[in-house]
Amino acid sequence: MSVAVTIRDVARQAQVSVATVSRALTSPDLVRATTRERVLAVAADLGYQPNLAARGLITGKTGNIGIVVPDLNNPFFTGVLKGVQNQARLASHAVFVADSDEDPAAEEQLVRAMAKQVDGVILCSPGIDEQQVRELAESTTLVLLNRRMRGVPAALMNSGSGLRQVIDHLVALGHHRIAYLNGPRTSWSNKERRRGLRIAVQRHDVDLVDMGPFPPRYEGGLQAADLAMAENVTAIVAYNDIMALGVLARLRDRGVRVPDDVSLTGFDDLMFGALCQPPLTTVAMPVVPAGRLAVDLLLDRLANRDAEVRQDELDTQLIVRATTAPPA
Amino acid sequence: MSVAVTIRDVARQAQVSVATVSRALTSPDLVRATTRERVLAVAADLGYQPNLAARGLITGKTGNIGIVVPDLNNPFFTGVLKGVQNQARLASHAVFVADSDEDPAAEEQLVRAMAKQVDGVILCSPGIDEQQVRELAESTTLVLLNRRMRGVPAALMNSGSGLRQVIDHLVALGHHRIAYLNGPRTSWSNKERRRGLRIAVQRHDVDLVDMGPFPPRYEGGLQAADLAMAENVTAIVAYNDIMALGVLARLRDRGVRVPDDVSLTGFDDLMFGALCQPPLTTVAMPVVPAGRLAVDLLLDRLANRDAEVRQDELDTQLIVRATTAPPA
DNA sequence: ATGAAAGCGCTAACAT
DNA sequence: ATGTTAGCGCTTTCAT
């Protein structure tokens, strides 16, 4: 067990008051160099680690940040978490993580539970409604990730642009009739993608077949594949990679060749999209940078509460692999 | 920002002392029912949330647990994290997470940094040596996951048994000459798998070609594939799924058919093993249950420091899919 | 059954 | 430059 060496042990051993020890550690310029060195030496010798909870009690800062994600099994969110974790470490902050299991009620409760122990919370792709998010923002410093809302700082990825790049790519290849397989209608991500879609479609005058919504999973793709083929499209744009993989599997089973008979794109650039056969054309989401950005936004806000609310958007990028080709 | 309602606000409003409020919340039997209800009502009304840091300062318990993993991008560890997170929530504990980026030095430092803020730490697949782990175990309550060490509680998965099941399966199909593609020589997981391998091999009298080590990644598989084929084996047992996927890709490029020309197995049962073509025969590791188990072990240990050190092992299970068949 | 008071480990005035 | 003191919000004796 921890030997529980406190600031007093250090003070005694170094022959100074606890205040001096505290200062030597947190505001080194306030103590004479020789004293400081002696204190620091003793602290190191004793293996003294300040009790952050006690410190936080008085400073009002915990040095912790929290992150709430819908699902830790989703590589999208663990990518974000990785970025958050990296950047937090650079700023000497520890991170609390909670998984809401896609349950909005849990989401709300988890943020509240964290609030007391952290300086702020990063809320990823929240399923709760705007009103609830605003209430949470009252109880703690909040930064949103992958959702935009007036007045709340947010780390965003421009998925609209990603989808525009997809359509541009398909049109350049010569496609005119394209299916879009919707994800959940209510999700902010799906709305953003459709927005990009609408813009691109207007620009190019292509036939868009707007299908779904489908579950944003492998099974959703299996189901969508046949429906899309019945629409005589030459290209299928799936809501995300996993759905695209389901489409790919179903098409293969039916003997439909990709990309010879039909082109297919995903979204997210999860690792296995590069490893499947044929490798998937998709859009890379900068999830790790987004996690880092969210930490920066949070720390900025903590440092300067009156600054303007930042909502920064990171670029997405089309990754052309082997599931797209000119139509037959 | 948090409205900072403290126990004193509740006390004043409920016309009792802070001590009574404290008791109403933590030892309800010590206060009269009517008083308790009044206090609780006021607390709820004011939206009072006890400051856990302050509570921890006096009780010596934080209500937090920590977990340190080598890589948050690895689905294996996020599965564990998911289990940890679930179980911790059931026990009303929050979880700190840290990612060491496979760096042993960081691993050690992260555990130490966490130690003060948590009741105990779950250390996953540590890369540090036994001596260092023991030192860490001095500074906090430690539970290992995916590594066994005398005297330290551990949540384990029987990967030896998994590999035995793989060999039994291959032998039953009629294979006699089998390659094993080693992961990192120093890793506990690889040692365990080889142990299972040795036992199975002795029992069946098969020719084992022990190859590697290879990087436990896709690239490792690409590299290993040609070497394995040069050994004239009829089956390849990869250290893990990702490596197996690399092997699969390389074999396909060379025109070697799986499983017709050669059988192939992975290990871990990551999602994309089921989605690739052909779907991968592999061994399922109970990562989520292992995470839960680790939390149980930790809480048990916290509750009863003198109890015997538990090292529980969960069963692994062969998942037969389509990359294994009788040899040509 | 309840209250008063001490103190967990620390920082921040306020002294000197 | 350093020490003294008063809390931060809470639990827990010890009284009553």
Side-chain angles (χ1 to χ4, degrees):
Chain A
M1 293 324 313
S2 69
V3 247
V5 22
T6 79
I7 198 173
R8 271 209 271 280
D9 300 321
V10 179
R12 194 176 317 123
Q13 181 105 357
Q15 316 255 47
V16 292
S17 72
V18 294
T20 301
V21 177
S22 173
R23 281 189 279 253
L25 263 46
T26 59
S27 358
D29 345 325
L30 265 48
V31 336
R32 191 170 46 204
T34 62
T35 324
R36 186 191 341 153
E37 275 158 35
R38 180 157 40 94
V39 170
L40 262 32
V42 171
D45 187 39
L46 264 44
Y48 169 69
Q49 301 261 93
N51 182 322
L52 298 178
R55 177 181 290 174
L57 207 49
I58 182 157
T59 60
K61 313 239 119 280
T62 62
N64 300 145
I65 68 183
I67 172 172
V68 177
V69 300
D71 181 11
L72 281 170
N73 272 343
N74 186 330
F76 181 92
F77 297 117
T78 56
V80 171
L81 178 57
K82 179 122 190 167
V84 166
Q85 154 67 36
N86 281 349
Q87 194 72 358
R89 185 130 73 93
L90 289 180
S92 302
H93 280 240
V95 3
F96 271 112
V97 63
D99 176 338
S100 69
D101 266 321
E102 313 267 6
D103 173 5
E107 207 165 54
E108 215 235 319
Q109 181 203 331
L110 287 167
V111 174
R112 288 200 189 286
M114 273 184 173
K116 274 277 146 49
Q117 297 197 74
V118 301
D119 295 337
V121 175
I122 295 167
L123 185 53
C124 296
S125 309
I128 55 180
D129 64 35
E130 189 159 333
Q131 171 61 18
Q132 290 174 298
V133 174
R134 292 199 188 286
E135 278 169 23
L136 289 178
E138 302 283 304
S139 74
T140 187
T141 303
L142 204 66
V143 168
L144 293 175
L145 193 146
N146 200 31
R147 174 140 167 198
R148 188 196 296 269
M149 193 174 296
R150 265 218 346 267
V152 185
L156 303 166
M157 291 164 276
N158 193 341
S159 44
S161 145
L163 208 24
R164 229 151 51 223
Q165 294 175 59
V166 167
I167 300 296
D168 288 353
H169 169 63
L170 291 173
V171 168
L173 286 171
H175 293 273
H176 292 297
R177 188 168 167 78
I178 300 172
Y180 174 65
L181 310 182
N182 280 274
R185 288 277 182 197
T186 55
S187 92
W188 189 81
S189 293
N190 191 59
K191 284 181 193 146
E192 280 297 291
R193 290 174 203 190
R194 295 193 71 194
R195 201 173 50 73
L197 192 64
R198 220 167 25 240
I199 294 170
V201 159
Q202 282 168 359
R203 204 164 54 193
H204 291 300
D205 181 39
V206 309
D207 271 6
L208 177 76
V209 187
D210 199 34
M211 311 186 64
F214 301 100
R217 294 189 303 273
Y218 189 74
E219 294 73 23
L222 294 176
Q223 170 193 357
D226 298 321
L227 297 175
M229 290 312 289
E231 294 284 349
N232 281 310
V233 297
T234 61
I236 300 174
V237 175
Y239 169 71
N240 68 15
D241 281 358
I242 304 198
M243 199 191 278
L245 251 47
V247 172
L248 192 61
R250 178 63 189 154
L251 294 180
R252 184 170 43 220
D253 286 352
R254 284 187 46 183
V256 180
R257 291 165 307 161
V258 173
D260 310 74
D261 300 329
V262 66
S263 286
L264 174 68
T265 67
F267 211 108
D268 285 348
D269 193 28
L270 303 185
M271 174 176 53
F272 51 75
L275 311 186
C276 69
Q277 195 58 23
L280 188 66
T281 293
T282 187
V283 175
M285 292 284 264
V287 285
V288 176
R292 287 202 213 99
L293 171 61
V295 172
D296 287 342
L297 293 179
L298 185 55
L299 296 180
D300 273 13
R301 185 128 200 89
L302 255 14
N304 186 354
R305 190 129 305 159
D306 308 318
E308 164 187 35
V309 170
R310 283 173 58 193
Q311 298 190 327
D312 290 4
E313 195 159 43
L314 299 171
D315 271 336
T316 55
Q317 198 193 348
L318 178 70
I319 309 286
V320 178
R321 296 211 184 89
T323 55
T324 45
Chain B
M1 296 323 314
S2 71
V3 247
V5 22
T6 80
I7 197 171
R8 270 210 273 279
D9 300 321
V10 179
R12 193 175 319 122
Q13 181 105 359
Q15 316 256 47
V16 292
S17 72
V18 294
T20 301
V21 176
S22 173
R23 282 190 278 253
L25 263 47
T26 59
S27 354
D29 343 326
L30 264 52
V31 336
R32 191 170 44 205
T34 61
T35 322
R36 182 187 348 147
E37 276 158 33
R38 179 156 43 94
V39 170
L40 262 33
V42 170
D45 187 39
L46 264 44
Y48 170 69
Q49 301 260 93
N51 182 324
L52 298 179
R55 178 181 289 176
L57 207 49
I58 181 156
T59 60
K61 313 239 119 282
T62 62
N64 300 146
I65 68 182
I67 173 171
V68 177
V69 299
D71 180 11
L72 281 170
N73 272 343
N74 186 327
F76 181 91
F77 296 119
T78 54
V80 170
L81 178 56
K82 179 119 188 168
V84 166
Q85 156 65 40
N86 281 350
Q87 195 72 357
R89 185 132 71 92
L90 289 180
S92 304
H93 280 241
V95 3
F96 271 112
V97 63
D99 176 337
S100 70
D101 265 321
E102 312 266 6
D103 173 5
E107 206 164 56
E108 215 233 319
Q109 182 203 331
L110 287 167
V111 173
R112 288 200 189 286
M114 272 185 174
K116 273 279 149 39
Q117 299 200 72
V118 301
D119 295 338
V121 175
I122 295 167
L123 184 54
C124 295
S125 310
I128 56 180
D129 64 33
E130 188 159 334
Q131 170 62 17
Q132 291 175 295
V133 174
R134 290 197 189 287
E135 278 169 22
L136 289 178
E138 301 282 304
S139 74
T140 187
T141 303
L142 204 66
V143 168
L144 293 174
L145 192 146
N146 202 32
R147 174 140 167 199
R148 190 196 296 268
M149 192 174 295
R150 265 219 344 267
V152 185
L156 303 165
M157 291 165 275
N158 194 341
S159 44
S161 145
L163 208 25
R164 231 152 48 225
Q165 295 174 58
V166 168
I167 300 295
D168 288 353
H169 169 64
L170 291 173
V171 168
L173 287 171
H175 293 272
H176 292 298
R177 188 169 166 80
I178 300 173
Y180 173 67
L181 311 181
N182 279 274
R185 287 276 183 200
T186 55
S187 92
W188 189 82
S189 292
N190 191 59
K191 284 181 193 147
E192 280 297 291
R193 290 173 203 192
R194 296 193 71 196
R195 201 174 49 75
L197 193 63
R198 222 169 21 244
I199 294 171
V201 160
Q202 282 168 0
R203 206 164 51 193
H204 290 302
D205 182 40
V206 309
D207 269 8
L208 177 76
V209 186
D210 200 34
M211 309 186 66
F214 301 100
R217 294 189 303 274
Y218 188 74
E219 294 73 24
L222 294 176
Q223 169 193 0
D226 298 320
L227 297 175
M229 290 312 289
E231 293 284 351
N232 281 310
V233 298
T234 61
I236 301 174
V237 175
Y239 170 71
N240 67 15
D241 281 357
I242 304 198
M243 199 191 278
L245 250 47
V247 172
L248 192 60
R250 179 62 188 151
L251 293 181
R252 184 170 41 218
D253 286 352
R254 285 187 46 182
V256 179
R257 291 165 308 162
V258 174
D260 310 73
D261 300 328
V262 65
S263 286
L264 174 67
T265 67
F267 211 107
D268 285 348
D269 193 28
L270 304 185
M271 175 177 51
F272 51 75
L275 310 186
C276 69
Q277 194 58 23
L280 189 66
T281 293
T282 187
V283 175
M285 293 284 265
V287 285
V288 176
R292 288 201 213 102
L293 171 61
V295 172
D296 287 342
L297 292 178
L298 184 55
L299 297 180
D300 273 12
R301 186 126 199 91
L302 255 14
N304 186 355
R305 188 129 306 160
D306 308 319
E308 164 188 34
V309 169
R310 283 173 57 191
Q311 299 190 325
D312 291 4
E313 196 159 42
L314 299 171
D315 272 336
T316 57
Q317 197 192 347
L318 178 70
I319 308 286
V320 178
R321 296 210 183 91
T323 55
T324 46

